[in-house]
Amino acid sequence: MSGNAVHGPAINAPLDSLTARPAGQPAVDADAATAAERRTRAASRRRAVLMILGAAAVFSIAGALVKGLGGELPLAQVVLCRNLFAIPALLPLLWQAGGLGALRARRPWLHVFRMVTGLTGMVGAFYGYAVLPFAMVTALGFTMPLFLTLLSVPLLGERVGARRGAAVLAGFGGVLLMAMPGGGGEAHLAGVLMVLLGAVAWALSMITIRRMGDAGESNATIVLWFALGATLVSGLASLPVWVAPTPVQWLMLVGTGVVSALAQVMMTEAYRRGEATLLAPFEYSAILWTTGLGVVVWGELPDGWDAAGIAVLVASGLYIWYREVTLGLKR
């Protein structure tokens, strides 16, 4: 996800308007204006960091709700409710973008591909929640930057140097630490592979979003078409396998959609106010939230192999982020 310049009157005003002064006016006025600009920028960045930390926490709650369903409902049904109940919370985006005209797509087939890859990523994560420890699913989801780095070579024409290549290999080494020693047998390995498949799909989805943005598609168009398309596809898939939820399950399904939409809005607001180079590392705070929830709710204390794998994977992801900031890459 890419970020915008920070917002606010003092930030958006041209720099000359902040520093220019009539003849004879003391230079201290220009200095005061520049200091005010810096304070405004710093405050906006602090707010952006708090928003991204909050989004990571809220996304973790949404994942916990999915895990709490315990695989008792068909996966297609859970995916349907996650997207369906998120739509009302996303309608303000449509209004802000100018109404129904915002749904006019410039690249319809890119939206279709984005929907397929996004749904695949969602299915992979939701399956993982049902069979794997909570924190492990989150950690495996952070392989997405590793796959994105690999896919950027053929799809974006980037060159991956020795340092980033080594970080990618180290990250997959962390995945092996989590996958191989586990005592969950075939179900454990199948869960790991499904989450990794979802991470590949998310990486392809991010590249597709980048291309849609380059083609002039707005954020509202991208987000709303995915929500509508994913609801339609998952709705059709859930019809033959529908299971009537209990009242508690209904509450959890509705909560998953609403909470996920809230987290998406918070993350979008964060990246509107702060640069991606500043905010991206704070997304890894989700590991802390999911580890804590896993311990408190399900008694899932990571063993030595899992903890080592998570540490290696997070370290490799952060190093790739550092290298991309250093090289000035835009994702």
Side-chain angles (χ1 to χ4, degrees), residues 17-22 24-37:
S17 71
L18 294 173
T19 57
R21 62 184 186 277
Q25 184 173 339
V28 69
D29 289 354
D31 294 339
T34 303
E37 178 191 4

Side-chain angles (χ1 to χ4, degrees), residues 126-208:
F126 285 10
Y127 181 86
Y129 287 137
V131 299
L132 294 176
F134 195 22
M136 183 182 291
V137 178
T138 303
L140 290 172
F142 282 119
T143 58
M144 192 273 283
L146 309 184
F147 290 116
L148 184 57
T149 299
L150 294 177
L151 292 170
S152 68
V153 176
L155 298 181
L156 295 177
E158 292 182 5
R159 297 179 61 185
V160 176
R163 295 182 183 180
R164 281 199 295 157
V168 170
L169 291 176
F172 286 123
V175 172
L176 290 177
L177 289 174
M178 288 185 284
M180 301 308 292
E186 293 183 1
H188 178 91
L189 182 58
V192 170
L193 293 176
M194 282 294 293
V195 177
L196 292 177
L197 173 64
V200 174
W202 279 122
L204 289 170
S205 184
M206 293 301 102
I207 291 174
T208 307

Side-chain angles (χ1 to χ4, degrees), residues 74-169:
L75 192 56
Q77 190 173 336
V78 179
V79 173
L80 165 65
C81 293
R82 181 260 181 251
N83 289 289
L84 177 64
F85 294 120
I87 291 176
L90 294 174
L91 289 180
L93 289 178
L94 182 64
W95 177 76
Q96 292 174 1
L100 293 177
L103 293 177
R104 188 178 298 110
R106 297 171 181 262
R107 298 289 188 272
W109 287 111
L110 285 180
H111 283 278
V112 172
F113 187 73
R114 146 68 168 152
M115 181 189 66
V116 172
T117 54
L119 272 175
T120 303
M122 194 176 295
V123 168
F126 285 10
Y127 181 86
Y129 287 137
V131 299
L132 294 176
F134 195 22
M136 183 182 291
V137 178
T138 303
L140 290 172
F142 282 119
T143 58
M144 192 273 283
L146 309 184
F147 290 116
L148 184 57
T149 299
L150 294 177
L151 292 170
S152 68
V153 176
L155 298 181
L156 295 177
E158 292 182 5
R159 297 179 61 185
V160 176
R163 295 182 183 180
R164 281 199 295 157
V168 170
L169 291 176

Side-chain angles (χ1 to χ4, degrees), residues 60 63-71 125-139 178 184 188 286-307 310:
S60 299
L65 289 171
V66 173
K67 184 173 180 62
L69 291 168
F126 285 10
Y127 181 86
Y129 287 137
V131 299
L132 294 176
F134 195 22
M136 183 182 291
V137 178
T138 303
M178 288 185 284
H188 178 91
I287 293 289
L288 302 177
W289 292 109
T290 52
T291 300
L293 285 170
V295 171
V296 172
V297 180
W298 293 282
E300 297 174 342
L301 186 65
D303 61 22
W305 288 109
D306 289 343
I310 290 172

Side-chain angles (χ1 to χ4, degrees), residues 215-284:
E217 296 282 29
S218 68
N219 289 341
T221 305
I222 294 170
V223 170
L224 287 164
W225 268 119
F226 173 74
L228 294 171
T231 298
L232 176 62
V233 172
S234 57
L236 292 174
S238 67
L239 286 177
V241 296
W242 183 269
V243 173
T246 66
V248 173
Q249 288 173 333
W250 270 121
L251 287 175
M252 297 174 72
L253 290 169
V254 173
T256 298
V258 173
V259 170
S260 297
L262 173 62
Q264 185 64 58
V265 170
M266 293 174 69
M267 184 166 286
T268 301
E269 178 66 12
Y271 278 98
R272 280 202 326 115
R273 292 177 172 272
E275 304 89 338
T277 53
L278 168 70
L279 299 177
F282 291 98
E283 292 191 37
Y284 283 87

Side-chain angles (χ1 to χ4, degrees), residues 305-323:
W305 288 109
D306 289 343
I310 290 172
V312 171
L313 183 55
V314 171
S316 66
L318 289 174
Y319 182 77
I320 289 173
W321 161 81
Y322 168 76
R323 288 296 296 168

